[in-house]
Each structure stands twice: as C-alpha cells, then as structure tokens.
Amino acid sequence: QYTHPNHSGEVTSTADGAQVIADDVVDEANLKVSNAPTNGYFLSAQSGNTGGLTWAEVSAAPTIQATADGALAANDPAIINSDGTVSKAATIAALTGAKAELDTNEPAAFDVVYDKTNNKIVACWVISAGGYVYATAGTVNAANNTITWGNKLTVYNSDSVIQIAAAATQNSNGEVVICWHRSTGGQVRAMSVRTSSSDNNLTLYDNGGTGELCIDRTIDTTNSYGNYRNLDLAWDTDKQTGMVIQCSLSSGKIFATGLCISGTTITSGVESQFTKSDGTQGGWTSVVVTWDEHNKKFFIAASRHADDDIFGATCNAHTTTGNDDLQNLTNLLPIAESIGDGYVRDIDYSLAEKRVMLHSLVNVSGWKHRLYLIDVASTLGTSMVKASVDVSDDWNSGVGCTTYNPNLKKWLVQVKESNNLKYSLVTNAEDSLTASTLLANFSSTNNGSALQVAYDPDTTRMVLVFRDIADGDDATGVVIRPIDSTLKEGNFIGFANAAYSDSATATINVVGNTTTKSSLTPGKKYYVQTDGTLSTTAGSPSVLAGIALSSTKLLIK
C-alpha cells in the first residue's frame, strides 16, 4: 500500500491533499511583472502589460483628471470651467461692437440703466432742438457684441428740457423712472416706463400727460451739458422709493424730494433743501446721488467753488414702503478738500465692494478726472474717502461717466481724451485704487459727448450711449466688452502635469503637489496673472499659485 508523501517547501501538501503555497514565501522573483522593480515603486494593475502588473512611481501629491478644453502645455496654470472641463488661464481681448443708432437728432443729455426684470437696457435722452424727452429699450447680443434698440418712445413733447436722469426700480413690473428738468418754469417732473419680455418697446405711464411735479423752482442749469451735473436720481430697491436731487446754478442751492410708485402712478414727497453744516446754502455747482444698498442710505455728493471742496451728505432709507418723504437728511460736509474749481460728474455704488465711487473733475495743478472711493458707513466727512486715483488730465469739456462691473470686479471709467472716447478699468484692493492705461473705444476725431454707461449682468457687457459727433451728432449706443480673463478668484485648480491636446484626458497637479517652473526665488509666494503667467505681485483677481521651494519647483497652494 502506497502512502503519498507530504510535500514541503514553498509548495506544500498533506497526504494526497491539494498542494498549496506556503505562507510568507512568494517574492518578487516569482511574479510575472512587465518591468524591473525600482526601490520605492508600487505594483499597479495595467491590463495591457505583461502579466497585467507594472512597477510604478508613487505620485508626489494629489492629482485630478478632466477633459481638456483647448490645448494645455506642461505646467500651464489650469482653471475649471462651468462644464467640468479644464483650460489654461488666459486673457480675453477687449472688444467694442458696432454702433447702433437710437435717434438721428442731436442729443443734449443722456441717461441709461439696466432693468433686471426683462434683461433690458433702457436709454433716455433729450434732443437739443426742441428739448423733447425720448426713451427706448435695447437687448444686448453677447455673441456679436451688439445691441438692438426698440421703437423710440416720446416721453415728453413740450419744450426747453435740458437735463435728464433715470433709475431702474428693479421690481417685477420692469419699471424705469425718468426725471427731467424743464428750464421754462424751472420744474422737475417724472414719469415711468415699463419694459417688455417679448420685445424692445416701452409702455409709458404718464401721470396725466405731464408727469409728476417733483421740484417746482426757478432753477437755472445753463451749461449743464458739459461741465455741470445738476440733476440726478437714485432708487431704494428695498422699499421701492427714490430720491431726485437738483442744483441751481443761479441760486447755487440744492433741492431734493422722495419718489414712490403705486401701480402706474408716481408721487413725490416734501421738498427738502441741503445746506452746509454752518448754514450756508448757495454756491453749489453740481450734485449727484446714489443708493448704498449695504448701508441702506442715499449718498449725495456736491461741489462748491467757493470752498474748493467736494461735499457729501447722507439720507436714511425710507422707513416704510411707499413713503415718498426723505428721512434724516444730514448737512453737507467736506469729503475732499482743496481741489480747486471742481465738479462732480458721476457716481456709482458696488454692493460687492460695499463702496461708492465718485467721478469728479478737479483743478489741482491742471484739470484731472479723479475718482474718490467712499465708505458711506464711515463718519461723514473726509474720513469717508478711503482712496483716490487720477485717470486722465485731459479736460475736454468735462465729459465722463462711471459704472461698476461685478464680473471684472472693477469700475469702468469713460472719458474723452484727445478728442477720442477712452476708458480705464479701476481696481480696488483693500481700499487702494489702481487705474489701467486708458484704452480708446474709437479713433474718430472729436468723437463723442453726453456720455452715460450701464452694466448688463445678463451678458456681462457694458453699454455706452453718447452723442456721436463723428456721425452727424446722432444719438448712438455701443456695446463694450473690456479686457477680461478666464481666470477668476475661485476657478484656479492647479497646473497641467504634461502637455495635452484639445479633448484629451488631462492630469492636473493640484493643492499639495508641485509644478516645474524656472527662475523662481525660493520662499517667495507666486500669483497667477490674468494671462496665465506667474508673478510675485498679486494680480486682479488675486489668485495664489503657491510658494517656491527652489528655483524650479513650486509647491501648489
């Protein structure tokens, strides 16, 4: 009788049982691996390789994989797009669209606002011949950077209107309030128009044909087309009440009243008059107003030549919805001193920045367009001004306007310099202003006056309306896409691990990993710039790339 022996060694068996591999005996030499081992490598599954196993290097740090939208070079800074693809951070070139005429008649004054209810740009203007008031709505096409205007609506067809102001109420009706000053009789009146979701035409609510009488004073606004800003309007979007303010050149006094809308009817409140803290009433030459949504106050800025100063005042929000009386008006106090014979030109508020930007003309060693950054929450006076910057030293009849672009997180400042329309992008970083070099919209000689600009958040475009001197003095609109970048504060994710073609699966080294660069200074922080380069100086937006470990290696932060 035969008895099967027990097997021993790496393969064992007992009696005539199954052979098994002993514990703790299999080494690398027994494995079928596609490559030779290297110290520190790990065994990874690779189905296409010999034995389905490969020795591979452990990744230095985390990576992610995504589809490339456009080509990526090795070590390019990468952003994540809204569809989940990745791209190189890059500059988007500035673009000015084709001009779109609103009126063949010459406009004396403009205003323009954005109605968020129906995503419309609403422009209103006064023509020089006759002084009639007109308005229209427009829709921006982001694909070709143009605007299409609707039919011209006659708002007021009496005569002698020389100033105009508008404000979007931002209610569900798509209402825009239009105020104008009629020199004959010295009255300020208001009507409202409504936009439509179906077309670019407006509906007029005329308060009996002549509009609501807001301010009834014999007010002189001679020369208001150029240097002076004597009529302005702002709207409290919470309580749906407004404030209209006007300055008289002859008496030098400032008058204001509240407005509200009930159905299709505008009503105005008790007329108020602003004075200096010492009781002085006259000498004012220009005035503007804006609504500070964060602090829930109207902020008023005015210039007075007798003091060579710019003054400010506040007015609290209305206490109840539908209350058209202004509440808690303060006296005017200097906020910027020793500016020479200055004028306030435009004013705008940014909720993102929680700051007001005042665009003024100052005569300090020559005329300049100067911007003042204002914190309305500060104590009224010079402490309100947190920073200032000059954007142009070309007087050119004082033409200029300003609005905030939340997509760029910058203010766009439009001026006329060397007879051309130009704009500058102004950035606020921790209450420090910097202005870009002025960029020209048009090169036509003597082009443009009566400027106003609005921001369209639906298309992230700016719409400028102006008198086109180079084209028969027509009332004209144009769409501007300022220089931009695909890089934003929150979309930078890391650096490309290698070169990838469009639509390829790209590996991106992310936070905690490293990327290879050249000419780095160890220990220095580096920031991604809007064109995809790196710098030790933060750009706008400020995007930290990482810290240099050596002259060629950056630790991604």
Side-chain angles (χ1 to χ4, degrees), residues 75-79 491-496 508-511 515 528 545 556:
N75 302 303
D76 271 349
I79 61 167
N491 67 359
F492 168 70
I493 56 170
F495 293 84
I508 308 299
N509 296 338
V510 295
V511 175
T515 190
V528 185
I556 304 170

Side-chain angles (χ1 to χ4, degrees), residues 17 71 127 135 193 256 304 322 332 347 361 443 506 547:
I127 63 169
V193 295
R304 186 172 186 267
L332 288 151
I347 195 168
L361 291 163
S443 58
I547 187 168

Side-chain angles (χ1 to χ4, degrees), residues 350-419:
S350 162
L351 180 60
E353 306 274 354
K354 295 182 175 59
R355 293 289 185 266
V356 166
M357 189 68 83
L358 176 64
H359 182 170
S360 62
L361 291 163
V362 299
N363 189 7
V364 181
S365 300
W367 285 99
K368 308 175 190 299
H369 285 264
R370 178 172 292 175
L371 300 182
Y372 291 99
L373 186 71
I374 297 169
D375 178 12
V376 174
S378 299
T379 301
L380 186 64
T382 54
S383 64
M384 300 182 81
V385 176
K386 300 305 178 183
S388 64
V389 67
D390 295 338
V391 296
S392 173
D393 58 2
D394 191 329
W395 165 250
N396 221 315
S397 300
V399 173
C401 56
T402 301
T403 197
Y404 185 73
N405 185 320
N407 177 56
L408 300 178
K409 297 192 174 179
K410 302 173 190 288
W411 275 271
L412 182 139
V413 183
Q414 191 85 41
V415 300
K416 185 175 181 180
E417 186 178 79
S418 301
N419 286 325

